[in-house]
């Protein structure tokens, strides 16, 4: 096996896989096999409130039904909290994070009240309220209030300097992590945010190539920054198109968006689904019919 190529499929066990997941898994699987590399599986199960035990086995079963075998034991993020703590400690030691005590409601009110609230590409970002809390008050409040750790984006981006990443379809991209403001790294109710866990785990799994949907392009700017700050390697990226039906409508948004489980129970042919997805992210209804 080639040590220079490893990719992963990283579903959350919060529901059944649908065709969008199948396409992602297939792209990653086929790329790994073509390169003689590894295809890894990782369960992104930090959000314990939404995770259901039965979905781990269901996801594994549906991948096998499609004929996609992964290499090694799947990683579970719920078993990796120490690694996320260690990454956060690295950022704390460099004074790049601060505790945030705000509730969603308070953040929304602060944004409404301020004419100059900072904006990113998707609208207003965290206004930085808790960045200004004095050290002594911080200590006191940390002792008895719930808090999230946020990245001090301005300091972090300045320290990291200009960053780029490479994508098989999009080419060389300039990262603009500052568009996201002071992002959350650990939540009040969870020991890591999606972005922190992903960069820590991709490095731990030796992932050289991240293959996933275009809906995660914006998050890549944040993840490049975190990789740089944590001294982790820069992976290559391929953000593929999202799966649509015959008419070009995103399947996940369709009213009858079917899970692989539903298709399977209705007697669909996994080989026909895989063959259709290998041609591209548009799945003709004919490929979904029962045998
Ligand atoms: N867990 C994420 C999802 O299911 C994927 C994260 C990633 O590929 O980076 O959308």
């Amino acid at each position: 096996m080639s040590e220079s190529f490893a990719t992963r499929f990283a579903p959350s066990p919060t529901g059944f896989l649908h065709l969008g997941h199948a396409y992602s898994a297939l792209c990653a699987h086929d790329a790994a096999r073509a390169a003689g590399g590894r295809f890894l599986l990782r369960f992104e199960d930090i959000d314990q409130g939404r995770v259901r035990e039965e979905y781990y086995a269901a996801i594994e079963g549906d991948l096998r039904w499609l004929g996609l075998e992964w290499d090694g034991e799947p990683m579970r993020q719920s078993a990796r909290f120490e690694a996320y703590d260690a990454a956060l400690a690295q950022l704390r030691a460099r004074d790049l994070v601060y505790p945030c005590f705000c509730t969603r409601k308070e953040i929304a009110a602060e944004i409404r009240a301020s004419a100059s609230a900072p904006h990113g590409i998707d609208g207003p970002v965290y206004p930085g309220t808790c960045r200004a809390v004095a050290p002594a008050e911080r200590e006191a409040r940390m002792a008895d209030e719930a808090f999230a750790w946020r990245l001090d984006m301005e300091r972090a981006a300045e320290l990291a300097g200009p960053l780029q990443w490479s994508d098989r379809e999009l080419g060389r991209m300039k990262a603009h992590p500052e568009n996201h403001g002071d992002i959350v790294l650990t939540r009040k109710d969870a020991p890591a945010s999606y972005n922190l866990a992903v960069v820590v785990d991709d490095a731990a799994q030796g992932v050289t190539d991240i293959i996933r949907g275009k809906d995660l392009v914006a998050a890549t700017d944040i993840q490049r920054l975190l990789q740089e700050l944590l001294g982790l390697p820069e992976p290559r990226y391929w953000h593929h198109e999202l799966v649509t039906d015959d008419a070009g409508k995103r399947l996940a948004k369709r009213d009858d968006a079917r899970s692989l489980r539903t298709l399977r129970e209705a007697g669909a042919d996994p080989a026909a689904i895989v063959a259709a997805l290998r041609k591209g992210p548009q799945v003709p209804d004919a490929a979904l019919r029962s045998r």
Side-chain angles (χ1 to χ4, degrees):
M1 268 193 210
S2 156
E3 280 312 306
S4 57
F5 193 105
T7 188
R8 58 15 175 220
F9 175 55
S12 293
T14 52
F16 291 116
L17 297 183
H18 53 69
L19 288 161
H21 295 113
Y23 184 64
S24 240
L26 187 66
C27 289
H29 168 273
D30 287 3
R33 295 295 169 251
R38 289 178 299 148
F39 171 58
L40 307 168
L41 179 58
R42 179 170 77 225
F43 287 112
E44 305 220 313
D45 59 351
I46 289 183
D47 193 347
Q48 289 291 318
R50 292 176 55 226
V51 166
R52 294 280 171 275
E53 192 53 44
E54 64 265 29
Y55 291 130
Y56 296 91
I59 288 171
E60 292 186 358
D62 288 347
L63 287 175
R64 289 202 172 101
W65 179 67
L66 291 172
L68 306 181
E69 279 293 335
W70 55 95
D71 298 306
E73 279 301 303
M75 176 180 269
R76 286 192 180 200
Q77 292 192 323
S78 55
R80 307 256 314 137
F81 293 169
E82 279 174 24
Y84 309 143
D85 282 352
L88 182 75
Q90 246 180 287
L91 301 174
R92 273 186 80 178
R94 293 160 81 192
D95 211 10
L96 292 172
V97 293
Y98 61 88
C100 170
F101 308 96
C102 297
T103 60
R104 278 170 205 269
K105 234 171 143 174
E106 285 165 351
I107 295 171
E110 175 89 22
I111 289 170
R112 270 197 309 275
S114 148
S116 57
H119 275 65
I121 26 171
D122 297 326
V125 297
Y126 179 65
T129 324
C130 286
R131 207 188 313 123
V133 175
E137 185 189 336
R138 228 173 234 180
E139 295 288 316
R141 292 180 68 181
M142 277 167 74
D144 54 27
E145 277 179 54
F147 60 92
W149 285 102
R150 283 186 185 272
L151 186 68
D152 185 332
M153 185 55 85
E154 210 177 296
R155 285 176 66 101
E158 199 182 296
L159 189 75
L163 291 171
Q164 300 192 342
W165 48 276
S166 282
D167 188 281
R168 172 169 149 173
E169 277 184 28
L170 306 168
R172 199 75 185 144
M173 301 283 286
K174 274 201 172 91
H176 293 291
E178 62 284 355
N179 281 340
H180 300 267
D182 290 357
I183 50 157
V184 167
L185 294 179
T186 72
R187 298 175 358 198
K188 283 182 181 175
D189 60 346
S193 66
Y194 156 69
N195 286 303
L196 182 66
V198 162
V199 297
V200 170
D201 291 344
D202 283 333
Q205 288 189 295
V207 170
T208 59
D209 289 76
I210 294 180
I211 299 174
R212 59 186 181 191
K214 281 218 158 84
D215 50 337
L216 289 167
V217 164
T220 305
D221 286 357
I222 298 172
Q223 293 173 19
R224 261 307 286 134
L225 173 65
L226 293 176
Q227 286 155 2
E228 193 67 20
L229 296 173
L230 294 167
L232 303 174
E234 176 191 344
R236 293 177 289 252
Y237 289 90
W238 174 25
H239 288 94
H240 58 69
E241 295 297 333
L242 302 174
V243 173
T244 56
D245 63 10
D246 280 343
K249 190 163 175 196
R250 225 184 123 180
L251 274 185
K253 300 261 161 78
R254 238 165 74 154
D255 309 334
D256 68 342
R258 277 158 289 181
S259 67
L260 296 180
R261 193 47 61 111
T262 313
L263 290 165
R264 189 173 167 178
E265 281 164 3
D269 177 6
I273 295 176
V274 165
L277 289 172
R278 282 210 167 104
K279 291 198 192 117
Q282 218 160 4
V283 190
D285 279 340
L288 307 177
R289 283 201 198 107
S290 317
R291 274 180 282 188

